[in-house]
Each structure stands twice: as C-alpha cells, then as structure tokens.
Amino acid sequence: MNFQPKNLLKGMVAAAAAVVMVGAAQAADISGAGATFPYPIYAKWAEAYKAKTGVGLNYQSIGSGGGIKQIKAKTVTFGASDMPLKAEELKEAGLQQFPMIMGGVVPVVNVKGIAPGQIQLDGPTIAKIYLGQIASWDDPAIKAQNPGLNLPKTSIVPVYRSDGSGTNFLWTTYLSKEDKEFAERVGANTSVQWAAGLGAKGNEGVANMVKLTDGAIGYVEYAYAKQNTLTYTKLKNHDGKVVSPEIKAFQAAAAGADWANAPGFYLVLVDQPGADSWPITGASFILVYSQPQDGAAVAEALKFFDWAYNNGQAAAEQLDYVPMPAAVVAQVEKSWSTVKAADGKPVWSK
C-alpha cells in the first residue's frame, strides 16, 4: 500500500504481510486473489486462523477483475470478486461462487471545513460530478441538499478506481440506476471508460488519492474510510431518506436479500428499499472450481471459509461488515457438496 493506514488497518496489513511470507514457504497454505473490498476482514481472519491452525493465507488484494482472471487461469486456489458472475458464466468456466461477507461502499471527500457525515449527497448529483457536469463544491445542486453548510468554491476532483474492480461495479451500478445519462455514457461494470477525474488503484489507492487531493471525491469500502479517518458523506436512499454509512444501514439493505432464489448466489444489493437501507451495499464472493485440479488445496480453503463463517462474525462487525446470516451459510455449505475431487468424492464435509 502506498499510504500510511492507521491503528487497526495498519496492524492487519502487517499481519497479512506476515501471512503472505509464510504462505510462500508452506505448501499447505491457502492461495487466493481478488477484491480489495473485503481485504481488511480477510487479513484479520487470516491472522486468527493461522494462530489457531498454523495454516496461512496468501491473499493478493489486486481487485475483482484480477481475482476472476487468476482463478480462471488456475494460478490460485480461489478467486474473490465483489461482482458476482452469472450462472451461465460460472457453468462455462466450471466455477461456483458463494457470498462470504457483506459491506458498504461509501463516498469520501476532501473539502476544507467539512467533517465526516456533515455533507449529504444524492445519486443524480454524484453521477453528474463523475460526468464532469458539476465542477465545484458550491454548485447549486450540492448547496440545495446542504442548507446552512458553508461550501467553498473549490473545484471538484472525482477519483475513480483504475483497476478492474467489484467496488467499481457496485458504484457504477448505483450511479447507472440513479442517472440515465450516466448509464448510457459510462454504464455499470468492473472497468468502465470514465468521463472525468483521476484514477487510482485499489481501495487503498483511492483512499490515499482523496486524502491528498483538495476538493476530491472518491468511493471506498467503509473500513478504509473509517480506519483512515476519511470524510464520508451521507446519502439519500431508495426511499428518499438520508442515511449514514454504518453497520445497521448495511444490515438493513442486506435484510431483504433472497439468496435462496438466486441461481449461483448471483445477487446485487444496490439501491435496496427500506427507510434505513444504505444504497451502495454489496456482497463479496468467493470463486472455486467445481472439479478442482488440487482437491486438497480447495478443501483447505473451504475449511478456512467454514471457520470464518462460524468464528469470524465479531471481527467482521468490528470492521463494519455484515456477516452472512446462518440460513445463508447453511445454503452455501450445502452447495460445497458439489465441489468434487478427481475420484468424484466431495472435497469437504462438515
């Protein structure tokens, strides 16, 4: 990472780095790559799991697009993505996916005199910022939502993810729902052609760029905003209510998720109804092969994920992630019976 994170995140990064080094030396360790969105909690889980079992996690936080590429190239045991793959793509690639954790993507800003949670925005306004149509913080569209707030005549610098990213997918899906022109000109995907702004790699890079750039606005997973004391904004949600990014708002958005009727667990939680729902909530998914070349390695990975489901909830909530409900965990672990070794037997059993 190219910035100096604080307190808890700093400790997690150090722990994860140690896990990665161990991972190079021990064949039993688990290899994975992908989304930066869940990296803080994966690092925390990895530290605790290694202390308990001696098995480390070599996880490359390279973005969802990179995670999908690496699992398809069979260079890692599992891939991680915040953009779920549709059932037909999973079938074509011989993969299956399952949700591991849920959380929120939040807008963060660097505007002199504005404290965290002091400014509120709505989707159409943010879309117009990223289209280059709203260019200063004292624009009437922003002032109308923040009466009484002293907004400076500072130029807005939109910051976006330059890498293939599930966070990009959630952010652009939200803005495409909120603004027809954004949907037509930019669209929703892990990688898009942005109309304005500066690019940065990873949640870490966006957090750093916003922190260093006067007038910037960006978007990061909430743990990065919280641990780096970034100035987050409030948002107007699907029901027209102004909400703050916090675990109860992420939980409210996740509450209506119908995982049982989602083929391949494909579900996008953006713009969920509910007065308390955070509008940019999403799950982070794990990808493994249904018939892996190395069944023992996938078995070790599934043991880790089972442990995290059942023992990692408190750590997840401390970082403002939403753990998967017990009923969903049961569905997921039932689906693991279809992950089979060369002899046709399931690689994992409870």
Side-chain angles (χ1 to χ4, degrees):
M1 295 185 186
N2 58 353
F3 70 110
Q4 297 298 317
K6 298 189 179 186
N7 303 328
L8 183 56
L9 188 55
K10 185 174 181 180
M12 289 188 296
V13 171
V19 170
V20 168
M21 288 189 291
V22 173
Q26 294 184 8
D29 286 353
I30 303 159
S31 67
T36 64
F37 178 95
Y39 173 71
I41 187 57
Y42 288 180
K44 188 68 173 175
W45 284 342
E47 179 185 9
Y49 190 72
K50 187 177 190 316
K52 180 176 177 61
T53 66
V55 177
L57 174 66
N58 183 346
Y59 182 73
Q60 303 169 54
S61 176
I62 58 173
S64 296
I68 292 168
K69 287 178 182 177
Q70 288 214 20
I71 188 62
K72 287 185 173 181
K74 301 182 179 180
T75 58
V76 291
T77 300
F78 72 89
S81 175
D82 306 326
M83 182 189 75
L85 301 186
K86 293 184 177 178
E88 53 267 29
E89 186 174 356
L90 292 169
K91 183 178 180 181
E92 182 181 351
L95 294 167
Q96 64 185 69
Q97 73 187 352
F98 52 90
M100 195 65 220
I101 198 74
M102 295 178 283
V105 175
V106 305
V108 290
V109 301
N110 181 353
V111 183
K112 285 185 174 62
I114 303 300
Q118 193 174 14
I119 189 171
Q120 69 182 57
L121 296 169
D122 61 17
T125 301
I126 299 173
K128 287 177 173 57
I129 288 172
Y130 276 82
L131 289 172
Q133 295 170 356
I134 292 179
S136 67
W137 283 105
D138 65 346
D139 187 277
I142 301 175
K143 291 175 74 173
Q145 296 174 65
N146 296 276
L149 195 59
N150 186 20
L151 292 162
K153 193 177 182 63
T154 302
S155 295
I156 300 176
V157 183
V159 179
Y160 57 81
R161 285 284 293 272
S162 60
D163 52 326
S165 152
T167 306
N168 266 351
F169 172 73
L170 295 172
W171 182 252
T172 57
T173 296
Y174 168 67
L175 295 183
S176 292
K177 283 177 173 285
E178 293 289 308
D179 187 89
K180 183 179 179 181
E181 185 179 357
F182 186 93
E184 292 172 349
R185 288 182 55 189
V186 181
N189 212 326
T190 55
S191 294
V192 296
Q193 188 67 44
W194 294 95
L198 301 174
K201 189 174 181 180
N203 271 284
E204 309 96 302
V206 171
N208 186 44
M209 181 79 78
V210 170
K211 204 165 189 178
L212 296 176
T213 307
D214 187 31
I217 181 172
Y219 50 96
V220 295
E221 193 282 317
Y222 184 57
Y224 290 87
K226 186 175 181 180
Q227 297 304 322
N228 290 281
T229 60
L230 299 177
T231 300
Y232 61 83
T233 79
K234 295 179 180 177
L235 280 178
K236 184 176 286 188
N237 68 12
H238 178 278
D239 287 15
K241 304 296 185 181
V242 176
V243 290
S244 296
E246 52 191 342
I247 192 167
K248 68 177 184 179
F250 307 150
Q251 287 170 332
D258 187 8
W259 294 104
N261 293 305
F265 293 104
Y266 181 92
L267 200 60
V268 179
L269 302 176
V270 169
D271 197 36
Q272 292 293 297
D276 299 324
S277 294
W278 182 253
I280 322 177
T281 300
S284 198
F285 297 83
I286 299 296
L287 295 160
V288 296
Y289 277 95
S290 296
Q291 294 181 298
Q293 291 178 336
D294 188 343
V298 174
E300 282 296 333
L302 295 181
K303 286 178 186 176
F304 169 74
F305 296 130
D306 171 64
W307 175 90
Y309 277 141
N310 292 286
N311 299 277
Q313 290 198 354
E317 290 176 351
Q318 285 170 8
L319 293 173
D320 294 281
Y321 290 94
V322 180
M324 301 307 300
V328 180
V329 172
Q331 292 172 41
V332 167
E333 296 195 338
K334 183 178 179 181
S335 78
W336 291 353
S337 66
T338 61
V339 180
K340 296 181 178 180
D343 60 5
K345 294 180 180 179
V347 303
W348 182 87
S349 61
K350 189 83 170 178

